[in-house]
Amino acid sequence: MTVQSGLPQVTVFSLGGTIASTNDPGGDAAGVTPRLGARELVDAVPQLQEVAELETVAFRQTASGDLTLRDLVALAAEITKRFDAGVAGVVVTQGTDTIEETSFALDLLVRGPRPVVVTGAMRNPTLAGPDGPANLLAAVQVAASPQASGLGTLVVFNDEIHAARFVRKTHTFSPATFRSLTAGPLGWMVEGRPRIAFRTPELHGTPTGVGEEVPAVALLKSALGDDSRLVEQVEALGYAGLVVEAFGGGHVPAHVVPALGRLAGRLPVVLASRTGGGEVLRETYGFPGSERDLLSCGLISAGFLDGLKARILLSLLLATGADLAGVRNAFEQVNMSVSSPPSPE
């Protein structure tokens, strides 16, 4: 959608986070907190006036660790309304702590080719050289660009363009914190223009009809000397599913397998890797506790999804009422989305 200025229309939703954090001038407490809304963030970057006609929405004002999947379901509905009204793209600003999760949730929840771009900052506005303004400018430039069409939800940060399905936060304070270890960035920014090096296929198997109530899903990471006590408590604590971040290509201590197998007969148990890159193997290793052993016990492969993203997908699938077979099928379809199409004969 374009307006009288001839520029594409982009909506900026702010959720809080470092990019919006500053001091309380009259307060006694040390440290910055989220205080700035979307309008204040946009007004601080005058170059945006040359890129797009902007609508600003202060959707939430919080640290990103306090966001919930219910917040994201509501945000996805608001984004969909903007797309139905004809906006060219949407930008979401938030804290970086959970960008890898929230961006993937939006990738699953928002339909259609127009881009959703998530960004934030590692250096707050009170510091020398805050990165928020540059990240916001780049995010709007991507959201307003026809080149971003059909790429799903993106994370634009430090002049790199990442697919939400692959990106991870990898450093506690570096502005270059976001990396896509499995696939690399989709592209980069140069002189205000997005350069797309490769395009991601459309995701299949994404949840539809997600309700307001999202069941709780546990996430457990395998560790040296681990035992099965936490696994045995998952169902009793009221969790509707479990994601296991296993060693390497999908391995756990052999003595944990029986507990996981029993649980997988009652709840969806998804097998991911704790490494953060690559994907879960299927048929390489055959020792007790290997990926072959666990998959034969009924665990569901997360494939290329890391544990955090697998938990998002499982949670949203359960919020649609999906049963065990439906969850398994959805994970298989999502993973088949990145397979190369068959070569023509």
Side-chain angles (χ1 to χ4, degrees):
M1 178 177 180
T2 57
V3 291
Q4 290 183 351
S5 65
L7 297 173
Q9 187 170 13
V10 172
T11 301
V12 177
F13 291 91
S14 63
L15 306 184
T18 295
I19 192 172
S21 292
T22 187
N23 294 316
D24 178 5
D28 296 327
V32 297
T33 56
R35 297 181 182 279
L36 306 177
R39 172 46 55 188
E40 293 162 294
L41 295 178
V42 164
D43 287 346
V45 189
Q47 298 94 324
L48 288 170
Q49 299 175 19
E50 304 170 7
V51 179
E53 193 76 26
L54 296 176
E55 176 197 17
T56 57
V57 180
F59 188 76
R60 296 287 187 270
Q61 192 75 297
T62 186
S64 65
D66 284 329
L67 294 170
T68 67
L69 281 171
R70 290 186 66 178
D71 290 324
L72 298 176
V73 170
L75 176 59
E78 290 300 316
I79 291 172
T80 299
K81 289 179 183 178
R82 296 322 193 275
F83 284 152
D84 289 343
V87 303
V90 163
V91 169
V92 177
T93 67
Q94 66 159 86
T96 59
D97 284 350
T98 61
I99 277 183
E100 59 198 283
E101 294 163 271
T102 60
S103 62
F104 185 58
L106 294 175
D107 203 18
L108 296 171
L109 291 168
V110 179
R111 306 286 184 266
R114 281 170 285 188
V116 178
V117 181
V118 186
T119 194
M122 293 298 289
R123 294 194 293 257
N124 69 73
T126 70
L127 300 177
D131 55 332
N135 287 337
L136 178 56
L137 177 60
V140 173
Q141 289 166 335
V142 171
S145 172
Q147 290 177 289
S149 177
L151 291 177
T153 298
L154 303 168
V155 172
V156 172
F157 215 95
N158 201 39
D159 281 340
E160 291 186 337
I161 303 168
H162 295 266
R165 67 196 72 172
F166 297 124
V167 75
R168 290 172 61 94
K169 185 175 182 179
T170 65
H171 199 283
T172 58
F173 59 83
S174 170
T177 183
F178 286 100
R179 293 282 184 265
S180 296
L181 301 181
T182 298
L186 302 186
W188 56 89
M189 299 297 297
V190 59
E191 296 178 333
R193 299 187 304 274
R195 302 283 284 179
I196 306 300
F198 69 93
R199 306 187 69 83
T200 50
E202 180 184 356
L203 284 177
H204 299 288
T206 56
T208 57
V210 175
E212 291 186 2
E213 295 300 322
V214 181
V217 170
L219 175 62
L220 297 180
K221 177 176 287 190
S222 295
L224 185 69
D226 203 358
D227 60 32
S228 61
R229 282 179 292 174
L230 290 176
V231 175
E232 291 166 345
Q233 292 300 313
V234 166
E235 189 174 17
L237 290 171
Y239 288 100
L242 170 66
V243 175
V244 178
E245 282 195 336
F247 304 124
H251 312 142
V252 301
H255 58 267
V256 180
V257 175
L260 287 173
R262 289 192 296 271
L263 187 63
R266 301 188 297 272
L267 301 177
V269 180
V270 177
L271 178 65
S273 171
R274 73 177 194 175
T275 63
E279 61 182 275
V280 172
L281 302 176
R282 290 183 175 272
E283 53 190 27
T284 300
Y285 295 97
F287 55 81
S290 68
E291 78 279 358
R292 291 176 67 105
D293 190 18
L294 292 167
L295 295 175
S296 71
C297 290
L299 274 69
I300 299 166
S301 174
F304 70 87
L305 297 177
D306 63 27
L308 293 173
K309 296 184 195 299
R311 177 179 171 273
I312 294 293
L313 176 57
L314 178 55
S315 299
L316 294 177
L317 288 169
L318 293 174
T320 71
D323 59 12
L324 194 57
V327 169
R328 184 180 301 276
N329 180 62
F331 270 87
E332 289 175 354
Q333 288 191 60
V334 167
N335 276 280
M336 288 174 61
S337 298
V338 299
S339 299
S340 300
S343 301
E345 297 181 358

